[in-house]
mmCIF file with all atom_site columns, all heavy atoms in Angstrom:
data_model
loop_
_atom_site.group_PDB
_atom_site.id
_atom_site.type_symbol
_atom_site.label_atom_id
_atom_site.label_alt_id
_atom_site.label_comp_id
_atom_site.label_asym_id
_atom_site.label_entity_id
_atom_site.label_seq_id
_atom_site.pdbx_PDB_ins_code
_atom_site.Cartn_x
_atom_site.Cartn_y
_atom_site.Cartn_z
_atom_site.occupancy
_atom_site.B_iso_or_equiv
_atom_site.pdbx_formal_charge
_atom_site.auth_seq_id
_atom_site.auth_comp_id
_atom_site.auth_asym_id
_atom_site.auth_atom_id
_atom_site.pdbx_PDB_model_num
ATOM 1  N N   . THR A 1 33  ? -46.039 155.902 25.368 1.00 92.00 ? 657 THR A N   1
ATOM 2  C CA  . THR A 1 33  ? -47.476 155.945 25.687 1.00 92.00 ? 657 THR A CA  1
ATOM 3  C C   . THR A 1 33  ? -48.332 156.311 24.475 1.00 92.00 ? 657 THR A C   1
ATOM 4  O O   . THR A 1 33  ? -49.543 156.134 24.491 1.00 92.00 ? 657 THR A O   1
ATOM 5  C CB  . THR A 1 33  ? -47.744 156.959 26.828 1.00 92.00 ? 657 THR A CB  1
ATOM 6  O OG1 . THR A 1 33  ? -47.192 158.229 26.444 1.00 92.00 ? 657 THR A OG1 1
ATOM 7  C CG2 . THR A 1 33  ? -47.104 156.507 28.131 1.00 92.00 ? 657 THR A CG2 1
ATOM 8  N N   . ASP A 1 94  ? -24.367 155.974 19.343 1.00 97.00 ? 718 ASP A N   1
ATOM 9  C CA  . ASP A 1 94  ? -24.100 157.413 19.349 1.00 97.00 ? 718 ASP A CA  1
ATOM 10 C C   . ASP A 1 94  ? -24.663 158.040 18.070 1.00 97.00 ? 718 ASP A C   1
ATOM 11 O O   . ASP A 1 94  ? -25.412 157.390 17.338 1.00 97.00 ? 718 ASP A O   1
ATOM 12 C CB  . ASP A 1 94  ? -22.598 157.690 19.518 1.00 97.00 ? 718 ASP A CB  1
ATOM 13 C CG  . ASP A 1 94  ? -21.731 156.817 18.607 1.00 97.00 ? 718 ASP A CG  1
ATOM 14 O OD1 . ASP A 1 94  ? -22.190 156.523 17.486 1.00 97.00 ? 718 ASP A OD1 1
ATOM 15 O OD2 . ASP A 1 94  ? -20.615 156.434 19.010 1.00 97.00 ? 718 ASP A OD2 1
ATOM 16 N N   . LYS A 1 252 ? -61.138 195.340 14.163 1.00 97.00 ? 876 LYS A N   1
ATOM 17 C CA  . LYS A 1 252 ? -61.280 196.388 13.144 1.00 97.00 ? 876 LYS A CA  1
ATOM 18 C C   . LYS A 1 252 ? -60.800 195.866 11.784 1.00 97.00 ? 876 LYS A C   1
ATOM 19 O O   . LYS A 1 252 ? -61.440 196.079 10.753 1.00 97.00 ? 876 LYS A O   1
ATOM 20 C CB  . LYS A 1 252 ? -60.441 197.603 13.572 1.00 97.00 ? 876 LYS A CB  1
ATOM 21 C CG  . LYS A 1 252 ? -60.668 198.853 12.749 1.00 97.00 ? 876 LYS A CG  1
ATOM 22 C CD  . LYS A 1 252 ? -60.105 200.076 13.475 1.00 97.00 ? 876 LYS A CD  1
ATOM 23 C CE  . LYS A 1 252 ? -60.297 201.343 12.651 1.00 97.00 ? 876 LYS A CE  1
ATOM 24 N NZ  . LYS A 1 252 ? -59.192 201.654 11.760 1.00 97.00 ? 876 LYS A NZ  1
ATOM 25 N N   . MET A 1 366 ? -61.177 163.093 10.365 1.00 94.00 ? 990 MET A N   1
ATOM 26 C CA  . MET A 1 366 ? -60.624 164.364 9.879  1.00 94.00 ? 990 MET A CA  1
ATOM 27 C C   . MET A 1 366 ? -59.828 164.147 8.593  1.00 94.00 ? 990 MET A C   1
ATOM 28 O O   . MET A 1 366 ? -59.214 163.102 8.412  1.00 94.00 ? 990 MET A O   1
ATOM 29 C CB  . MET A 1 366 ? -59.712 164.987 10.944 1.00 94.00 ? 990 MET A CB  1
ATOM 30 C CG  . MET A 1 366 ? -60.398 165.249 12.276 1.00 94.00 ? 990 MET A CG  1
ATOM 31 S SD  . MET A 1 366 ? -61.801 166.378 12.137 1.00 94.00 ? 990 MET A SD  1
ATOM 32 C CE  . MET A 1 366 ? -62.759 165.900 13.594 1.00 94.00 ? 990 MET A CE  1
#
Side-chain angles (χ1 to χ4, degrees):
T657 55
D718 46 34
K876 190 164 179 269
M990 302 300 156

